[in-house]
Amino acid sequence: MSDVTTPTDRYAGSSIQKVSLLVGIVFLLVGIAGFVPGLTTGDLGGAGHGSMAMLLGLFQVSVLHNIVHLLFGVVGLLAAGYATGSRMYLVLGGVVYFVLWVYGLFTAGHSFGANFVPLNWADNWLHLVLSIGMVALGVVFPRERRRPVSAA
């Protein structure tokens, strides 16, 4: 048995893992909220610009959009088990949201087949904020250093 332990030996033991866990929980809650009547109004479609559902009266959602949020949340929870996985989740997730923002610049608010998620302008600008925030969190939060195990 080793006399050193790392916070990353525990689930969500380091600060970066805690951030990944928190971001994952937020995505899960948003995904669930997209299915809750009252939080989401209008006709919830399966996918595409035809879904007229609005989360909090602002963000256009669909069943596909909600499932993507749920999956993103599950990945965050799984990534919280490892410091490296947490950092990858945040940075790569931020890159994915940046690509989605660029995609939304051309499709948000339009009613053609390429807007399959669907996206409106509120979604699109939120994706830019998520992109910047996730990458920043993934880069800024440090890994914990090895610490000796205290004798009990």
Side-chain angles (χ1 to χ4, degrees):
M1 192 180 246
S2 172
D3 64 345
V4 256
T5 187
T6 63
T8 59
D9 291 338
R10 299 184 324 268
Y11 182 78
S14 69
S15 58
I16 191 78
Q17 289 169 275
K18 285 177 178 60
V19 170
S20 177
L21 178 64
L22 180 62
V23 171
I25 289 170
V26 169
F27 274 110
L28 281 175
L29 292 174
V30 169
I32 291 167
F35 290 110
V36 176
L39 293 176
T40 300
T41 56
D43 294 327
L44 184 64
H49 63 276
S51 178
M52 293 293 117
M54 300 293 282
L55 176 60
L56 304 175
L58 188 59
F59 304 102
Q60 189 175 9
V61 294
S62 66
V63 172
L64 174 62
H65 205 152
N66 294 334
I67 289 171
V68 168
H69 288 139
L70 291 170
L71 290 173
F72 226 82
V74 168
V75 171
L77 298 182
L78 293 172
Y82 306 93
T84 303
S86 294
R87 188 171 313 283
M88 268 183 25
Y89 167 72
L90 293 166
V91 172
L92 292 178
V95 169
V96 166
Y97 270 99
F98 182 79
V99 169
L100 190 56
W101 174 71
V102 170
Y103 164 78
L105 290 175
F106 299 99
T107 62
H110 295 288
S111 58
F112 53 83
N115 190 7
F116 64 90
V117 176
L119 299 173
N120 64 9
W121 287 107
D123 290 311
N124 203 46
W125 291 107
L126 177 61
H127 292 158
L128 178 61
V129 170
L130 286 170
S131 171
I132 294 167
M134 289 178 76
V135 169
L137 289 170
V139 170
V140 168
F141 272 85
R143 285 192 184 156
E144 312 297 330
R145 296 186 184 264
R146 291 182 166 258
R147 296 183 185 126
V149 175
S150 60

